[in-house]
Amino acid sequence: MFSTSLILLFSLFSERVFASLPQMERGVAKVIGGDPKGNNFLYTNGKCVIIRNIENPAIADIYTEHAHQVTVAKYAPSGFYIASGDASGKIRIWDTTQKEHMLKYEYTPISGKVKDIAWTEDSKRLAVVGDGREKFGAVFLWDSGSSVGEVSGHSKLINSVDIRQKRPYRLATASDDTCASFFEGPPFKFKFTLRDHSQFVNCIRFSPDGSRFVTAGADGQILIYDGTTGERVGSLGGEKAHKGGIYAVSWSPDSSQLISASGDKTVKLWDVGATTAVTTFNLGSDVTDQQLGCLWQKDHLLSISLSGYINYLDKNNPNRPIRTIKGHTKSIQCVTVHKNEGRPYIYSGSHDGHINILSTLTDCQTGENDCFSGKGHSNQVSKIVTDEANELVTCSMDDTLRYTSISKKEYSASDVVKMDFQPKSVSVGAGGLSLAVCIGQIVLVKDKKKVFTLDNLGYEAEVGALHPGGTTAAVGGADGKVHLYSVQGNTLKDEGKALEVKGPITDMAYSNDGAYLAAIDDKKVITVFNVADGYSVKNEFYGHHAKPVTLAWSPDNEHFATGGMDMLVYVWTVSDPDQRLKIPDAHRLHHVSGLAWIDAHTLVTTSHDASVKQWTITY
């Protein structure tokens, strides 16, 4: 049996998370929630709710218990609970104080996508709106689900809801039918319709003191109403507040100002009493710079771009945010680590072709993200490695290999090698060699030029690995064999030697010193071959419950890690299959897509949850 002491030692170390960005959709507002104490903000990506520390966004927590895509999450005014809603209409109310986030209650108030949630100030009642089939909204008691009113008066889906945080309570909704509705209660009853917008009404928000509420629409207008009577009292910026549609507004804590986020790529800071814009924040000129969400939290003004980037706005310098949080919005497919000037950086590639650069969380707690400038891959990045020339070598479903200078941080239009078929895998060796395994073809690349291709393989090649010495190319196939080729100058010669494993190979890698070759297969077996001994089997390793898909060697060449569809990561000891460390639920409810080592005690994992995690491992 494996050593329990190792497991216990390991369990003392927790992971560090660098979370995904919000998942964005063009023309669709993104609601950002803020906690009442002002410490955290939260948003959604896929089936995850992400809670981040506003001072240090590298401190993050991920809630993953929804079965469907989560669309909105809001803190209760008490701060003890979060209500999150998903695309199926389900609302989960869960605890914020414990790491486990215990579920308190679960309801399905509408039968379709939840668009917004609002609490009463005593944290006892919830309003939920969206795109239901029978109705577009509901108001109910948080602990019993009993109805406390009716959300009616709209003919199309409701985008936004808010409740006045003072008695007498008022509820207001905003809809795609170009109208807003005003309710009195509880129990909440429809009072009247506000028909002042000419297009979709995207957002409605009461001021913290309850004296006013505003509506913001696709027509570029922000209209102001009395918080108690619902009477219109004015508008911001005259005829139009923004040149484009407005997706979100957020009030200042003292109710005197608010910020608005617009498709015109700006955020504006308004003096509500004077109805004029005090500051206009210009966030860029690209389509991805459209602003779809915003939050005013204590002294922090946040906005979210269509790219998913989170901008910390600077009142003193409206053309340059204090900081911009970057990262991934789509599932991560691959990862590698490279040291630049002694400092390790994590490079991860995602489903949408984006490559992210994360300065590791070992030296500092900020975990700053960056990306390459210029135009990169246009489709999924399938594999990412670094070569001896300090370049990132990537292969993508856009049928290219790319070589990108790590120091310049810029994509080069010339350092692209076009493949005849889609590449699945790339590996690098000494002397400027790269091996690309494509659908039905193996390609040898030298100094960024194709020098040799092998067709008519007689098997389906899945993954390749060049020996660090540059003498051998190993290619893993769907036939359950590792095919060995000798590298002779600019050609590959089939040596007629194939190593048997248990099933179709999913990933494969040589140890850094070239002593071993490890292969994983879809029969859940890991096989390690001893290179010097004619590729005899050194050991076989068992433990995964579902197909392992990624493998990475530790710098010490004595350990390697595997991750798979079972959400498990194992760290194995080459000389003893029983000496293993198990990380269960490495990325809860998401399978592990990539592994890389920063050093012999620090492992990086990536997943389809679009987040990067860093683990400390002790043997």
Side-chain angles (χ1 to χ4, degrees):
M1 282 299 290
F2 53 90
S3 162
T4 50
S5 63
L6 285 176
I7 298 288
L8 289 171
L9 261 176
F10 172 75
S11 65
L12 296 175
F13 293 86
S14 61
E15 82 275 22
R16 288 175 176 167
V17 180
F18 208 93
S20 63
L21 295 176
Q23 206 162 35
M24 308 301 287
E25 198 180 327
R26 191 170 177 181
V28 178
K30 191 73 182 181
V31 177
I32 322 178
D35 94 82
K37 298 182 183 72
N39 301 325
N40 301 320
F41 65 101
L42 70 161
Y43 55 82
T44 62
N45 180 312
K47 295 176 185 175
C48 304
V49 178
I50 292 106
I51 306 170
R52 293 180 94 154
N53 181 290
I54 203 157
E55 298 287 348
N56 182 1
I59 301 170
D61 193 4
I62 304 176
Y63 179 79
T64 57
E65 300 300 312
H66 278 270
H68 298 90
Q69 184 179 3
V70 198
T71 45
V72 61
K74 287 276 190 75
Y75 271 93
S78 67
F80 297 134
Y81 294 98
I82 289 171
S84 51
D86 65 28
S88 74
K90 187 163 281 178
I91 295 286
R92 292 177 72 90
I93 301 169
W94 41 279
D95 171 81
T96 62
T97 59
Q98 306 296 317
K99 177 80 178 138
E100 292 74 33
H101 299 310
M102 299 297 291
L103 179 68
K104 190 77 175 167
Y105 301 106
E106 185 177 76
Y107 305 109
T108 311
I110 61 172
S111 55
K113 184 187 283 189
V114 176
K115 299 275 283 183
D116 202 5
I117 295 168
W119 292 79
T120 51
E121 44 76 39
D122 58 6
S123 301
K124 291 183 176 169
R125 300 170 193 81
L126 271 169
V128 172
V129 300
D131 190 11
R133 281 192 288 277
E134 296 85 25
K135 57 183 179 179
F136 300 122
V139 202
F140 54 92
L141 290 171
W142 86 297
D143 56 355
S144 66
S146 305
S147 174
V148 282
E150 193 173 296
V151 179
S152 57
H154 288 291
S155 59
K156 288 186 177 171
L157 67 93
I158 301 175
N159 291 311
S160 186
V161 63
D162 205 17
I163 295 172
R164 186 172 187 256
Q165 295 295 293
K166 289 215 170 20
R167 290 179 182 272
Y169 288 150
R170 299 288 184 263
L171 185 148
T173 54
S175 165
D176 266 9
D177 63 9
T178 75
C179 298
S181 292
F182 190 73
F183 301 78
E184 291 180 354
F188 291 98
K189 288 192 176 63
F190 172 77
K191 197 73 180 161
F192 49 78
T193 299
L194 306 166
R195 304 180 190 277
D196 301 317
H197 285 276
S198 59
Q199 292 184 43
F200 299 160
V201 192
N202 292 322
C203 187
I204 197 158
R205 292 290 180 256
F206 279 92
S207 59
D209 66 6
S211 63
R212 298 272 187 270
F213 70 90
V214 294
T215 57
D219 55 9
Q221 292 192 93
I222 300 175
L223 307 177
I224 313 168
Y225 299 86
D226 184 277
T228 313
T229 65
E231 284 177 53
R232 183 172 166 183
V233 294
S235 62
L236 295 182
E239 279 292 297
K240 276 205 168 186
H242 282 271
K243 292 193 182 95
I246 303 164
Y247 292 100
V249 295
S250 185
W251 287 86
S252 64
D254 68 0
S255 301
S256 69
Q257 296 178 307
L258 61 80
I259 51 172
S260 56
S262 167
D264 67 7
K265 310 176 190 73
T266 69
V267 172
K268 290 189 179 182
L269 170 59
W270 299 91
D271 179 320
V272 178
T275 70
T276 55
V278 180
T279 310
T280 299
F281 303 93
N282 296 297
L283 276 307
S285 55
D286 203 72
V287 169
T288 56
D289 296 318
Q290 293 182 0
Q291 300 302 300
L292 300 181
C294 60
L295 177 69
W296 192 317
Q297 182 93 317
K298 279 191 179 168
D299 302 328
H300 297 284
L301 308 184
L302 304 189
S303 76
I304 298 189
S305 307
L306 174 58
S307 61
Y309 290 178
I310 301 165
N311 310 296
Y312 282 63
L313 306 176
D314 187 349
K315 292 182 196 174
N316 302 316
N317 187 357
N319 295 323
R320 190 187 178 110
I322 298 166
R323 70 193 299 186
T324 300
I325 308 300
K326 300 177 182 178
H328 288 288
T329 60
K330 299 285 198 313
S331 62
I332 302 174
Q333 304 293 325
C334 51
V335 66
T336 193
V337 169
H338 183 265
K339 280 195 171 72
N340 195 10
E341 296 173 358
R343 175 94 181 263
Y345 292 84
I346 299 165
Y347 297 87
S348 47
S350 61
H351 183 66
D352 55 359
H354 178 71
I355 294 173
N356 187 64
I357 309 165
L358 172 60
S359 64
T360 69
L361 309 180
T362 39
D363 317 347
C364 63
Q365 285 297 313
T366 54
E368 288 298 325
N369 281 272
D370 203 356
C371 55
F372 294 104
S373 60
K375 188 161 170 45
H377 287 295
S378 59
N379 206 329
Q380 174 177 309
V381 184
S382 302
K383 192 84 174 182
I384 188 165
V385 290
T386 52
D387 65 12
E388 56 191 5
N390 278 350
E391 291 174 311
L392 211 58
V393 186
T394 50
C395 74
S396 163
M397 282 186 173
D398 62 11
D399 298 352
T400 64
L401 292 194
R402 252 181 196 280
Y403 295 81
T404 309
S405 165
I406 281 170
S407 55
K408 286 184 187 164
K409 287 191 181 172
E410 187 179 358
Y411 291 112
S412 161
S414 58
D415 294 339
V416 180
V417 183
K418 186 85 177 75
M419 295 285 135
D420 302 327
F421 303 98
Q422 190 181 95
K424 303 178 187 179
S425 159
V426 66
S427 61
V428 293
L433 282 181
S434 307
L435 179 74
V437 171
C438 305
I439 295 172
Q441 191 179 64
I442 300 168
V443 182
L444 193 64
V445 178
K446 185 164 186 181
D447 300 329
K448 304 172 192 172
K449 290 185 172 57
K450 286 197 271 190
V451 292
F452 188 74
T453 56
L454 269 180
D455 296 288
N456 306 316
L457 300 172
Y459 66 96
E460 192 180 332
E462 295 291 345
V463 60
L466 279 171
H467 188 275
T471 53
T472 306
V475 179
D479 58 354
K481 292 176 182 170
V482 179
H483 301 262
L484 297 177
Y485 300 86
S486 63
V487 181
Q488 299 182 354
N490 289 347
T491 62
L492 295 175
K493 184 164 187 291
D494 188 348
E495 295 294 341
K497 181 165 184 179
L499 314 173
E500 299 270 351
V501 296
K502 298 292 188 281
I505 294 170
T506 55
D507 200 12
M508 190 171 68
Y510 280 101
S511 58
N512 305 288
D513 60 2
Y516 301 110
L517 174 68
I520 51 179
D521 62 54
D522 77 356
K523 294 285 188 280
K524 307 184 281 292
V525 183
I526 301 124
T527 311
V528 173
F529 300 94
N530 189 329
V531 174
D533 192 21
Y535 286 90
S536 63
V537 174
K538 169 80 174 170
N539 269 317
E540 289 178 348
F541 302 80
Y542 300 84
H544 281 286
H545 307 321
K547 180 167 74 172
V549 295
T550 180
L551 176 150
W553 280 92
S554 164
D556 67 11
N557 299 308
E558 294 170 18
H559 301 89
F560 63 94
T562 57
M565 311 276 271
D566 50 10
M567 297 168 276
L568 290 174
V569 171
Y570 279 103
V571 178
W572 307 92
T573 308
V574 175
S575 57
D576 184 357
D578 290 337
Q579 292 273 29
R580 61 182 187 178
L581 300 180
K582 178 181 176 181
I583 309 176
D585 263 349
H587 292 255
R588 187 161 166 69
L589 301 182
H590 294 82
H591 78 252
V592 180
S593 61
L595 297 167
W597 293 82
I598 291 173
D599 56 45
H601 293 283
T602 315
L603 178 67
V604 173
T605 62
T606 60
S607 165
H608 288 198
D609 64 6
S611 69
V612 176
K613 291 190 179 182
Q614 182 179 306
W615 308 82
T616 305
I617 291 172
T618 300
Y619 304 111

